Amino acid sequence: MSQLSLQNHLFCNNKQLTKRIFAELDIPHPKSLVFRDLHRDQERIRLFWQAGVTYVCKPLNGTEGEGVGMYIKSMDDLDKYWQQWSRIDDCFLLEEQIEGQDVRMQVVGGRLLAACIREPAFVVGDGDSSIDELISARRKIMQKQNPANRLDVDAITLRLLQKQNLHLQAVPELQHKVQLKYVANMSQGAIATDVTEEIAPVFHEWINRFSQKTGMRLFAFDALAMDHRSGQPGTAFALEINPLPEWMHHTFSEKRQHDVAGAILRNLFGIQ
């Protein structure tokens, strides 16, 4: 596969095909099952299901965090997910939910260029503004960076607030952090913090293996880790590959920003 191609895009958008490559390369990843219909595939799902394990379900070809359902702990939870999202795709991925840091790594020329930790959308209290007002202020910042981004107050947000014994008109104390989403996706208000200089060597190894195996030189590598600085066995897992050269995470990241667009152009056209 070449550096930029439709084949790369289609290949990596299919999360299960990507997992097969991870398995071939001995890169740890969460156990998963692909299914088409919750009811017709119920027996396969029951054989895969393990009591006490928390799952995440997502469209097999999904992007931007749309249709991602987390903290699925029972078949009833899965049935509720299916009722809401079954029309969004033809196939779905049921996957073990791994707790830890959401690590996004941007690869250019087959090497790690930038890495960040993504946190699901949140606001921090100033002791004066309501949560609704804090969300409005955060939304303005997001849309100034990228007009396509959004921070919707949906059923998930309201349930999360309720779990925190809060509501939209509540006024959080100074520096009190209020979580608004489960999914750490930038288009849904996630916040990125640069950790490029802290990334453990194992992540560089994974990127190198994947790039050499597929021939891909430009992609984003998503992983989950208890600590991005160590990556010890059993504490770090590969999630998926994004073949589109998205660099918003690193352009607007906290602590440090990267000129990913410039790096891509220099790499593609041999510009020094």
Side-chain angles (χ1 to χ4, degrees):
M1 284 183 275
S2 60
Q3 179 155 289
L4 285 173
S5 72
L6 177 60
Q7 184 181 11
N8 286 353
H9 177 75
L10 295 175
F11 169 79
C12 291
N13 265 0
N14 187 311
K15 297 173 176 60
Q16 193 67 358
L17 289 178
T18 307
K19 288 178 182 295
R20 290 180 188 174
I21 298 295
F22 289 158
E24 289 179 22
L25 297 174
D26 198 27
I27 296 175
H29 55 282
K31 294 178 182 177
S32 62
L33 173 74
V34 173
F35 69 95
R36 289 183 176 275
D37 185 278
L38 178 63
H39 305 295
R40 288 199 298 268
D41 295 325
Q42 196 167 65
E43 185 59 29
R44 291 178 58 239
I45 293 171
R46 289 192 182 279
L47 289 172
F48 171 76
W49 192 276
Q50 288 185 294
V53 174
T54 301
Y55 293 94
V56 57
C57 195
K58 60 185 95 171
L60 187 63
N61 301 297
T63 59
E64 297 187 344
E66 186 176 14
V68 176
M70 302 179 69
Y71 297 100
I72 295 174
K73 299 182 179 181
S74 67
M75 293 302 293
D76 285 342
D77 290 342
L78 186 57
D79 187 63
K80 290 176 184 176
Y81 170 87
W82 184 252
Q83 290 177 32
Q84 182 177 0
W85 295 107
S86 61
R87 293 179 178 84
I88 199 173
D89 200 358
D90 294 329
C91 289
F92 290 81
L93 186 74
L94 184 63
E95 180 178 78
E96 289 179 317
Q97 183 172 318
I98 306 295
E99 298 297 332
Q101 300 169 324
D102 188 315
V103 186
R104 161 59 66 97
M105 294 169 281
Q106 181 68 52
V107 179
V108 178
R111 295 185 178 184
L112 176 68
L113 174 73
C116 66
I117 301 296
R118 298 181 294 184
E119 289 187 74
F122 65 87
V123 291
V124 178
D126 59 10
D128 184 53
S129 305
S130 69
I131 292 174
D132 196 33
E133 291 169 334
L134 293 169
I135 290 173
S136 295
R138 174 62 188 157
R139 190 181 287 131
K140 288 178 182 177
I141 294 172
M142 287 174 51
Q143 293 183 338
K144 185 176 181 180
Q145 295 172 344
N146 185 339
N149 285 350
R150 64 189 189 276
L151 181 50
D152 298 329
V153 175
D154 54 16
I156 292 173
T157 306
L158 296 176
R159 284 198 298 270
L160 263 172
L161 290 177
Q162 189 175 29
K163 282 186 176 182
Q164 298 167 85
N165 295 316
L166 295 168
H167 53 82
L168 287 173
Q169 301 311 315
V171 177
E173 295 180 0
L174 182 66
Q175 297 303 311
H176 181 77
K177 185 176 178 180
V178 180
Q179 186 178 353
L180 303 173
K181 301 289 182 184
Y182 285 122
V183 178
N185 190 282
M186 297 297 285
S187 67
Q188 295 185 27
I191 295 174
T193 302
D194 186 81
V195 293
T196 305
E197 303 303 324
E198 303 172 3
I199 285 293
V202 66
F203 295 109
H204 291 270
E205 294 172 13
W206 291 357
I207 287 168
N208 184 54
R209 283 187 228 165
F210 188 87
S211 181
Q212 289 191 355
K213 171 72 175 179
T214 64
M216 291 177 65
R217 309 281 289 168
L218 176 60
F219 56 91
F221 195 119
D222 290 343
L224 285 171
M226 294 305 295
D227 185 348
H228 63 278
R229 295 163 295 188
S230 67
Q232 292 296 317
T235 68
F237 300 86
L239 276 186
E240 59 189 44
I241 300 294
N242 189 326
L244 299 176
E246 297 180 358
W247 51 81
M248 177 176 58
H249 309 75
H250 312 290
T251 303
F252 302 112
S253 56
E254 305 291 324
K255 292 188 178 181
R256 177 186 174 188
Q257 296 76 44
H258 297 264
D259 180 17
V260 180
I264 290 172
L265 289 173
R266 288 191 293 272
N267 181 257
L268 287 175
F269 299 105
I271 302 171
Q272 298 299 320

PDB file of all heavy atoms in Angstrom, residues 101 103 117 195 198-203 225-231:
ATOM      1  N   GLN A 101      -5.441   6.136  29.376  1.00  0.00           N
ATOM      2  CA  GLN A 101      -5.276   7.363  28.608  1.00  0.00           C
ATOM      3  C   GLN A 101      -5.552   7.095  27.128  1.00  0.00           C
ATOM      4  O   GLN A 101      -5.133   6.078  26.581  1.00  0.00           O
ATOM      5  CB  GLN A 101      -3.847   7.890  28.760  1.00  0.00           C
ATOM      6  CG  GLN A 101      -3.446   8.222  30.183  1.00  0.00           C
ATOM      7  CD  GLN A 101      -1.953   8.485  30.287  1.00  0.00           C
ATOM      8  OE1 GLN A 101      -1.141   7.860  29.614  1.00  0.00           O
ATOM      9  NE2 GLN A 101      -1.588   9.420  31.152  1.00  0.00           N
ATOM     10  N   VAL A 103      -4.497   7.854  23.691  1.00  0.00           N
ATOM     11  CA  VAL A 103      -3.273   8.379  23.078  1.00  0.00           C
ATOM     12  C   VAL A 103      -3.438   8.461  21.562  1.00  0.00           C
ATOM     13  O   VAL A 103      -3.737   7.454  20.911  1.00  0.00           O
ATOM     14  CB  VAL A 103      -2.057   7.484  23.410  1.00  0.00           C
ATOM     15  CG1 VAL A 103      -0.772   8.120  22.892  1.00  0.00           C
ATOM     16  CG2 VAL A 103      -1.967   7.230  24.909  1.00  0.00           C
ATOM     17  N   ILE A 117      -2.437  13.259  24.526  1.00  0.00           N
ATOM     18  CA  ILE A 117      -3.461  12.571  25.306  1.00  0.00           C
ATOM     19  C   ILE A 117      -4.763  13.321  25.091  1.00  0.00           C
ATOM     20  O   ILE A 117      -4.820  14.541  25.261  1.00  0.00           O
ATOM     21  CB  ILE A 117      -3.118  12.565  26.811  1.00  0.00           C
ATOM     22  CG1 ILE A 117      -1.779  11.867  27.057  1.00  0.00           C
ATOM     23  CG2 ILE A 117      -4.234  11.900  27.605  1.00  0.00           C
ATOM     24  CD1 ILE A 117      -1.761  10.408  26.703  1.00  0.00           C
ATOM     25  N   VAL A 195       2.186  15.191  24.449  1.00  0.00           N
ATOM     26  CA  VAL A 195       3.083  14.331  25.235  1.00  0.00           C
ATOM     27  C   VAL A 195       4.167  13.730  24.335  1.00  0.00           C
ATOM     28  O   VAL A 195       4.710  12.667  24.632  1.00  0.00           O
ATOM     29  CB  VAL A 195       2.299  13.199  25.948  1.00  0.00           C
ATOM     30  CG1 VAL A 195       1.371  13.762  27.018  1.00  0.00           C
ATOM     31  CG2 VAL A 195       1.501  12.356  24.947  1.00  0.00           C
ATOM     32  N   GLU A 198       7.330  12.399  25.756  1.00  0.00           N
ATOM     33  CA  GLU A 198       7.179  11.452  26.865  1.00  0.00           C
ATOM     34  C   GLU A 198       6.791  10.047  26.414  1.00  0.00           C
ATOM     35  O   GLU A 198       6.744   9.127  27.231  1.00  0.00           O
ATOM     36  CB  GLU A 198       6.104  11.965  27.835  1.00  0.00           C
ATOM     37  CG  GLU A 198       6.373  13.354  28.385  1.00  0.00           C
ATOM     38  CD  GLU A 198       5.194  13.893  29.182  1.00  0.00           C
ATOM     39  OE1 GLU A 198       4.199  13.152  29.349  1.00  0.00           O
ATOM     40  OE2 GLU A 198       5.259  15.042  29.644  1.00  0.00           O
ATOM     41  N   ILE A 199       6.496   9.880  25.126  1.00  0.00           N
ATOM     42  CA  ILE A 199       5.978   8.601  24.629  1.00  0.00           C
ATOM     43  C   ILE A 199       7.000   7.475  24.801  1.00  0.00           C
ATOM     44  O   ILE A 199       8.173   7.613  24.441  1.00  0.00           O
ATOM     45  CB  ILE A 199       5.575   8.736  23.144  1.00  0.00           C
ATOM     46  CG1 ILE A 199       4.260   9.503  23.028  1.00  0.00           C
ATOM     47  CG2 ILE A 199       5.448   7.397  22.470  1.00  0.00           C
ATOM     48  CD1 ILE A 199       3.059   8.768  23.589  1.00  0.00           C
ATOM     49  N   ALA A 200       6.540   6.345  25.348  1.00  0.00           N
ATOM     50  CA  ALA A 200       7.413   5.197  25.605  1.00  0.00           C
ATOM     51  C   ALA A 200       7.914   4.575  24.297  1.00  0.00           C
ATOM     52  O   ALA A 200       7.226   4.627  23.270  1.00  0.00           O
ATOM     53  CB  ALA A 200       6.659   4.149  26.418  1.00  0.00           C
ATOM     54  N   PRO A 201       9.099   3.961  24.319  1.00  0.00           N
ATOM     55  CA  PRO A 201       9.672   3.346  23.110  1.00  0.00           C
ATOM     56  C   PRO A 201       8.769   2.311  22.451  1.00  0.00           C
ATOM     57  O   PRO A 201       8.810   2.144  21.229  1.00  0.00           O
ATOM     58  CB  PRO A 201      10.964   2.700  23.633  1.00  0.00           C
ATOM     59  CG  PRO A 201      11.339   3.522  24.820  1.00  0.00           C
ATOM     60  CD  PRO A 201      10.039   3.915  25.458  1.00  0.00           C
ATOM     61  N   VAL A 202       7.935   1.611  23.240  1.00  0.00           N
ATOM     62  CA  VAL A 202       7.101   0.557  22.662  1.00  0.00           C
ATOM     63  C   VAL A 202       6.157   1.115  21.602  1.00  0.00           C
ATOM     64  O   VAL A 202       5.876   0.448  20.593  1.00  0.00           O
ATOM     65  CB  VAL A 202       6.304  -0.184  23.765  1.00  0.00           C
ATOM     66  CG1 VAL A 202       5.273   0.729  24.419  1.00  0.00           C
ATOM     67  CG2 VAL A 202       5.623  -1.424  23.197  1.00  0.00           C
ATOM     68  N   PHE A 203       5.690   2.340  21.768  1.00  0.00           N
ATOM     69  CA  PHE A 203       4.786   2.928  20.779  1.00  0.00           C
ATOM     70  C   PHE A 203       5.522   3.218  19.472  1.00  0.00           C
ATOM     71  O   PHE A 203       4.966   3.056  18.383  1.00  0.00           O
ATOM     72  CB  PHE A 203       4.141   4.196  21.337  1.00  0.00           C
ATOM     73  CG  PHE A 203       3.244   3.946  22.518  1.00  0.00           C
ATOM     74  CD1 PHE A 203       3.623   4.337  23.791  1.00  0.00           C
ATOM     75  CD2 PHE A 203       2.033   3.297  22.360  1.00  0.00           C
ATOM     76  CE1 PHE A 203       2.806   4.099  24.882  1.00  0.00           C
ATOM     77  CE2 PHE A 203       1.203   3.050  23.445  1.00  0.00           C
ATOM     78  CZ  PHE A 203       1.599   3.451  24.712  1.00  0.00           C
ATOM     79  N   ALA A 225      -3.541   3.490  27.080  1.00  0.00           N
ATOM     80  CA  ALA A 225      -2.446   3.098  27.969  1.00  0.00           C
ATOM     81  C   ALA A 225      -2.709   3.599  29.382  1.00  0.00           C
ATOM     82  O   ALA A 225      -3.247   4.691  29.572  1.00  0.00           O
ATOM     83  CB  ALA A 225      -1.122   3.663  27.459  1.00  0.00           C
ATOM     84  N   MET A 226      -2.324   2.801  30.352  1.00  0.00           N
ATOM     85  CA  MET A 226      -2.412   3.259  31.731  1.00  0.00           C
ATOM     86  C   MET A 226      -1.423   4.396  31.967  1.00  0.00           C
ATOM     87  O   MET A 226      -1.691   5.321  32.726  1.00  0.00           O
ATOM     88  CB  MET A 226      -2.131   2.104  32.696  1.00  0.00           C
ATOM     89  CG  MET A 226      -3.187   1.003  32.661  1.00  0.00           C
ATOM     90  SD  MET A 226      -4.871   1.613  32.964  1.00  0.00           S
ATOM     91  CE  MET A 226      -4.706   2.192  34.658  1.00  0.00           C
ATOM     92  N   ASP A 227      -0.268   4.317  31.287  1.00  0.00           N
ATOM     93  CA  ASP A 227       0.742   5.372  31.394  1.00  0.00           C
ATOM     94  C   ASP A 227       1.508   5.423  30.078  1.00  0.00           C
ATOM     95  O   ASP A 227       2.238   4.486  29.751  1.00  0.00           O
ATOM     96  CB  ASP A 227       1.689   5.091  32.559  1.00  0.00           C
ATOM     97  CG  ASP A 227       2.686   6.227  32.801  1.00  0.00           C
ATOM     98  OD1 ASP A 227       2.802   7.124  31.934  1.00  0.00           O
ATOM     99  OD2 ASP A 227       3.360   6.210  33.843  1.00  0.00           O
ATOM    100  N   HIS A 228       1.340   6.500  29.320  1.00  0.00           N
ATOM    101  CA  HIS A 228       1.983   6.625  28.010  1.00  0.00           C
ATOM    102  C   HIS A 228       3.501   6.658  28.108  1.00  0.00           C
ATOM    103  O   HIS A 228       4.196   6.460  27.118  1.00  0.00           O
ATOM    104  CB  HIS A 228       1.495   7.900  27.314  1.00  0.00           C
ATOM    105  CG  HIS A 228       1.869   9.162  28.044  1.00  0.00           C
ATOM    106  ND1 HIS A 228       1.149   9.645  29.118  1.00  0.00           N
ATOM    107  CD2 HIS A 228       2.898  10.026  27.871  1.00  0.00           C
ATOM    108  CE1 HIS A 228       1.715  10.758  29.566  1.00  0.00           C
ATOM    109  NE2 HIS A 228       2.769  11.012  28.830  1.00  0.00           N
ATOM    110  N   ARG A 229       4.030   6.893  29.302  1.00  0.00           N
ATOM    111  CA  ARG A 229       5.481   6.990  29.472  1.00  0.00           C
ATOM    112  C   ARG A 229       6.146   5.636  29.680  1.00  0.00           C
ATOM    113  O   ARG A 229       7.366   5.521  29.567  1.00  0.00           O
ATOM    114  CB  ARG A 229       5.806   7.902  30.662  1.00  0.00           C
ATOM    115  CG  ARG A 229       5.379   9.349  30.456  1.00  0.00           C
ATOM    116  CD  ARG A 229       5.337  10.113  31.755  1.00  0.00           C
ATOM    117  NE  ARG A 229       4.313   9.573  32.647  1.00  0.00           N
ATOM    118  CZ  ARG A 229       3.947  10.129  33.791  1.00  0.00           C
ATOM    119  NH1 ARG A 229       4.534  11.244  34.193  1.00  0.00           N
ATOM    120  NH2 ARG A 229       3.009   9.579  34.538  1.00  0.00           N
ATOM    121  N   SER A 230       5.351   4.599  29.990  1.00  0.00           N
ATOM    122  CA  SER A 230       5.955   3.288  30.244  1.00  0.00           C
ATOM    123  C   SER A 230       5.546   2.249  29.206  1.00  0.00           C
ATOM    124  O   SER A 230       6.394   1.545  28.659  1.00  0.00           O
ATOM    125  CB  SER A 230       5.588   2.796  31.645  1.00  0.00           C
ATOM    126  OG  SER A 230       4.205   2.512  31.734  1.00  0.00           O
ATOM    127  N   GLY A 231       4.236   2.140  28.932  1.00  0.00           N
ATOM    128  CA  GLY A 231       3.772   1.169  27.941  1.00  0.00           C
ATOM    129  C   GLY A 231       4.102  -0.262  28.304  1.00  0.00           C
ATOM    130  O   GLY A 231       4.354  -1.098  27.428  1.00  0.00           O
TER     131      GLY A 231
END
